[in-house]
Amino acid sequence: MLPVVPLVLTKQASSFRERIQHAHSSVDLWAMGITIVIGGQFFSWNAGLACGTVSFGLSVLVMGAAYVCLACSLSEISSMLPFAGGAYGLSRCTLGFFPGFILGSCEVLEYILYVSSVNVMLGKTVAAKWPVVEPYVPLVWLAAYVVAFGILTVGGRLFWRINLVFAVALMLQLVIYVVGSATYVDIAQQGGGAQHYVVGGLYEWCASFPMAMWFYVGIEALNTLCNEVDNPRGTIPRGQLTAIATICASAIAVYFVAISLPPGVSSLSSVLNVLNGGFTQILGISDQDASLLNIPALFATMPGLLLATGNIITALAESKLVPYRLHRRHETFGTPARAMAAAATLSFALCFCAMYQQNADTTMYYVSMFFGCMTYISQCIGYIFLSRRYHKMPRSFRSPFGVAGAMYAMIVFSISALSILACQNHSYSSTVAIAGILTVLSVYYHGYAKSRQSISEDERKLLFFAHVANHNNAKKKQHQKANRRKKGLFRIIAFLRRRRSSAIETSMTKKACKSTSVAPTQMDVVT
């Protein structure tokens, strides 16, 4: 008789959170913020120098202050309500179900389009070094997406370690650029002089204003990582604030050094890779070789944004606003593999627009930033909503700028959005693309998603109180409006009754006067 081996029952993961290997400190969140954002300081922002060094420098400072206020507001929100759906969840509470869907979709498209524009830039950089690769640039794009998706699918310790290495390497690269260029900096000769301080007028300044977003865009994506970290109420605010402080410091340093080095401001606005002027002199290499140093920064931007996009799509799918099967996570690693695959596929497809349409990458950037401005404004509205209505709710961090900071950020991002629509050379194509996308999303929502949507489990746990409060507030307003209507109707009826009574009294008085009047006597007639 064979011995009976006791069956050991192992506890299965009850949810994906038990399968995810979480980030364990705010350092991981800081590293994520660096890898997502810092690539924008390596390229493309230099087009804003067309309005002048002082003018665009002012734009960089104004935009940086807006992102600091936004990051502080979002950090406070995360310390209260760590929801992984980004702008979607809070907008659904504060603005309604339809605006919530539109804004959630806009945030998804912001990241997808931004990744596409970055990947197109990656292909251009590789092709500039090896022209023979130019016909095969789509393979470069595909390789970047496959590697990024593979790292994200495994996730856990592998992803966070790789991301930390990228962050440290990129910051070290910027330190070498700034410190190593100190002996070559010549602002008097390379800065263009007084004639380049301000170029053009207010219109030119507004036209260049959105280019300052390259320095900071993506820092808000850290709020979508609530499911990826331990203790998101404390970890995300610390990581996000440290990251935005680092990014602001590097932005100021990079801007000052870049305009003080060859090829000079007059030519810098049209170069492909901004930092080449420093690396060619520090390392004694050619411009093409220096361009290769930008590849890590370009690639590092992709994984973090694809992960953020996957989390938002998962939240939308759990609310049945997009196909429900997209919410399913990897059976082993617990990562949002299906949602990330959908995002990467769409982003890869959009890269081909750059092959068949001139300046398509620029249009993608502007559309991405417009959608970003929409989500930023909605998040500021959500912050004001929570600050005023739930100011006593416990939180581990409070924004030092409060409601005033959120309102300032709203103004800045509104100006940027208007600039994209009205002041760019590609405003027509960008506006058409934006209008077309919003129309398609609206038709999709009212024709398909509206009747199928629900409130997901995460929303029910974290945001249900806000939905209930909004519902009760709406009912209260309806009752107040109905009461005002009733009071107004009663006042009208009372007024009409008074008028009628007054008219009756007047009529009766006249009749009484006629009936009591005395007929004239003979003497009166003679007289």
Side-chain angles (χ1 to χ4, degrees):
M1 183 176 178
L2 295 175
V4 178
V5 179
L7 177 63
V8 179
L9 297 177
T10 58
K11 181 182 177 182
Q12 294 184 349
S14 60
S15 71
F16 70 91
R17 291 180 177 84
E18 297 182 20
R19 286 175 276 158
I20 293 178
Q21 299 178 36
H22 293 89
H24 296 290
S25 71
S26 55
V27 175
D28 293 317
L29 268 295
W30 168 84
M32 177 67 83
I34 295 301
T35 53
I36 288 176
V37 180
I38 208 71
Q41 299 185 9
F42 280 67
F43 62 95
S44 291
W45 62 262
N46 50 311
L49 290 170
C51 73
T53 54
V54 174
S55 295
F56 190 60
L58 178 63
S59 299
V60 173
L61 293 176
V62 170
M63 190 66 73
Y67 270 96
V68 168
C69 292
L70 176 67
C72 289
S73 299
L74 294 179
S75 294
E76 182 173 341
I77 292 173
S78 293
S79 72
M80 299 166 58
L81 304 169
F83 179 66
Y88 152 71
L90 194 56
S91 299
R92 212 177 183 203
C93 295
T94 56
L95 301 176
F97 286 94
F98 174 55
F101 166 75
I102 293 294
L103 291 166
S105 301
C106 286
E107 190 169 18
V108 168
L109 291 171
E110 174 200 356
Y111 297 149
I112 288 176
L113 289 165
Y114 187 75
V115 170
S116 297
S117 62
V118 168
N119 212 16
V120 169
M121 183 65 66
L122 176 62
K124 288 181 178 180
T125 302
V126 174
K129 171 60 179 176
W130 296 290
V132 69
V133 178
E134 188 167 0
Y136 309 101
V137 163
L139 295 179
V140 177
W141 302 337
L142 181 62
Y145 281 112
V146 169
V147 173
F149 179 72
I151 295 172
L152 288 170
T153 300
V154 176
R157 185 174 300 175
L158 173 67
F159 168 70
W160 292 107
R161 291 284 176 85
I162 292 175
N163 189 72
L164 181 60
V165 169
F166 266 112
V168 173
L170 292 174
M171 289 308 303
L172 181 61
Q173 187 175 347
L174 284 183
V175 169
I176 293 173
Y177 171 78
V178 173
V179 176
S181 299
T183 56
Y184 305 104
V185 167
D186 189 351
I187 187 69
Q189 181 178 355
Q190 306 296 341
Q195 64 269 26
H196 282 279
Y197 287 169
V198 178
V199 179
L202 181 61
Y203 180 86
E204 285 73 17
W205 182 79
C206 289
S208 67
F209 191 62
M211 301 307 295
M213 297 177 72
W214 276 110
F215 284 95
Y216 314 101
V217 66
I219 191 65
E220 76 286 350
L222 296 183
N223 293 79
T224 67
L225 305 179
C226 297
N227 292 332
E228 316 293 331
V229 298
D230 292 325
N231 184 27
R233 296 177 189 270
T235 304
I236 288 181
R238 289 194 298 270
Q240 193 165 37
L241 296 175
T242 308
I244 190 62
T246 306
I247 288 162
C248 287
S250 66
I252 295 171
V254 166
Y255 182 78
F256 176 76
V257 172
I259 64 174
S260 305
L261 292 174
V265 170
S266 57
S267 302
L268 184 63
S269 60
S270 59
V271 302
L272 181 63
N273 297 296
V274 185
L275 307 189
N276 284 10
F279 287 127
T280 53
Q281 299 195 62
I282 297 170
L283 304 177
I285 57 179
S286 66
D287 187 74
Q288 290 182 341
D289 291 335
S291 297
L292 298 179
L293 297 175
N294 297 305
I295 291 178
L298 292 167
F299 174 78
T301 302
M302 296 174 58
L305 289 180
L306 288 176
L307 177 58
T309 307
N311 285 330
I312 300 170
I313 293 175
T314 300
L316 291 168
E318 288 176 346
S319 298
K320 299 181 181 179
L321 288 166
V322 296
Y324 185 65
R325 57 181 174 271
L326 289 176
H327 89 286
R328 294 180 182 173
R329 293 174 174 264
H330 195 279
E331 295 181 358
T332 303
F333 305 113
T335 52
R338 292 194 177 191
M340 291 188 298
T345 302
L346 179 56
S347 182
F348 176 63
L350 288 171
C351 290
F352 286 90
C353 296
M355 296 186 67
Y356 303 105
Q357 181 66 37
Q358 189 177 9
N359 297 320
D361 53 338
T362 304
T363 301
M364 286 191 291
Y365 169 75
Y366 282 127
V367 174
S368 171
M369 292 305 99
F370 180 83
F371 287 150
C373 290
M374 287 181 61
T375 59
Y376 299 159
I377 293 169
S378 72
Q379 287 168 324
C380 291
I381 293 173
Y383 171 78
I384 295 171
F385 167 81
L386 292 175
S387 296
R388 290 183 172 175
R389 187 167 294 183
Y390 303 103
H391 59 278
K392 294 184 179 180
M393 181 179 290
R395 62 203 78 188
S396 61
F397 171 79
R398 287 186 182 272
S399 171
F401 307 104
V403 172
M407 295 181 69
Y408 167 78
M410 288 174 62
I411 293 171
V412 171
F413 294 127
S414 297
I415 294 172
S416 185
L418 291 174
S419 171
I420 292 171
L421 293 177
C423 301
Q424 307 301 323
N425 293 331
H426 307 283
S427 287
Y428 177 76
S429 57
S430 300
T431 303
V432 170
I434 291 167
I437 291 171
L438 293 178
T439 301
V440 170
L441 290 174
S442 300
V443 172
Y444 168 81
Y445 175 81
H446 290 288
Y448 176 82
K450 184 177 181 179
S451 60
R452 293 171 172 81
Q453 66 181 338
S454 63
I455 296 178
S456 67
E457 187 65 25
D458 279 350
E459 284 185 276
R460 189 173 288 108
K461 289 179 180 178
L462 296 172
L463 302 171
F464 188 68
F465 75 94
H467 284 290
V468 173
N470 280 342
H471 177 70
N472 293 336
N473 189 49
K475 289 180 66 176
K476 183 179 178 181
K477 288 183 178 179
Q478 288 179 354
H479 287 310
Q480 290 175 347
K481 187 181 292 186
N483 290 334
R484 285 196 297 268
R485 288 176 180 174
K486 289 180 181 179
K487 289 180 181 179
L489 182 61
F490 289 152
R491 288 174 182 172
I492 293 172
I493 293 173
F495 174 75
L496 293 176
R497 284 178 176 175
R498 288 195 300 269
R499 290 289 301 271
R500 184 180 179 186
S501 299
S502 177
I504 292 173
E505 290 178 1
T506 303
S507 176
M508 292 179 65
T509 302
K510 289 181 178 180
K511 289 180 179 180
C513 291
K514 288 181 180 179
S515 61
T516 57
S517 59
V518 181
T521 62
Q522 186 69 24
M523 187 177 294
D524 294 330
V525 173
V526 173
T527 304

